[in-house]
Amino acid sequence: MLDNYRDLIDELLGAPKALRDLLGSADPLPSAATRLLADLRDRDTAVLARLQTMTREHGVFLPVAVDIPGPASDGAALLDEFDTARGELVSLLMNLTLRDWERTAIDATAGEITVADEVERHVEFDEAQRERLGRAIGG
């Protein structure tokens, strides 16, 4: 089980470099790519908040997330902001105990979920978003 959690963390850890490699040749970023990258940054921030809530409170209800876009930035600034958000998320995950990974909450759309479920859903979103980014820049 611990290996599964490490695999999820490794997936999240690899994303900033993969994004820099993918987006490095696109300057400036197309507006669609900028929005997708901002969405990824914002999602990292939202997932961090959800996980913090799940690890601090037992059986908490997690409402449907309201999409509140962060400030618009250029591609380089967005990548830096994404790096920071992803670093905070990974830092939290690396410090979770095995018991923390199994903590539960009630998600407004998915029902009862664990921290591990939430992280796995985020990894899947991350992978899909990177694919959309690649298409947005023609890569």
Side-chain angles (χ1 to χ4, degrees):
M1 191 167 280
L2 185 58
D3 287 338
N4 293 340
Y5 302 150
R6 284 187 182 142
D7 289 345
L8 292 172
I9 292 171
D10 288 344
E11 288 283 334
L12 294 173
L13 271 172
K17 181 182 180 330
L19 280 175
R20 287 193 184 280
D21 292 347
L22 177 68
L23 301 176
S25 61
D27 187 33
L29 285 179
S31 61
T34 301
R35 185 68 251 154
L36 290 167
L37 184 55
D39 289 346
L40 191 52
R41 173 208 55 199
D42 296 344
R43 171 82 184 242
D44 268 30
T45 302
V47 168
L48 175 65
R50 287 170 61 95
L51 293 174
Q52 288 171 330
T53 299
M54 290 176 74
T55 57
R56 290 182 184 143
E57 300 177 35
H58 180 69
V60 67
F61 178 79
L62 300 171
V64 174
V66 177
D67 186 20
I68 302 172
S73 301
D74 65 32
L78 270 172
L79 277 171
D80 289 342
E81 292 165 8
F82 170 71
D83 281 347
T84 299
R86 181 56 55 94
E88 291 173 4
L89 178 58
V90 167
S91 178
L92 172 81
L93 296 175
M94 291 176 74
N95 289 300
L96 292 179
T97 66
L98 287 174
R99 181 173 283 184
D100 289 334
W101 281 93
E102 296 305 317
R103 291 192 58 116
T104 61
I106 305 301
D107 180 78
T109 57
E112 185 174 85
I113 61 169
T114 64
V115 166
D117 295 333
E118 180 74 2
V119 175
E120 189 169 341
R121 290 184 342 176
H122 187 54
V123 166
E124 290 167 0
F125 172 84
D126 180 84
E127 290 169 349
Q129 194 75 342
R130 284 189 277 155
E131 286 178 23
R132 286 188 283 274
L133 272 161
R135 288 192 302 273
I137 63 167

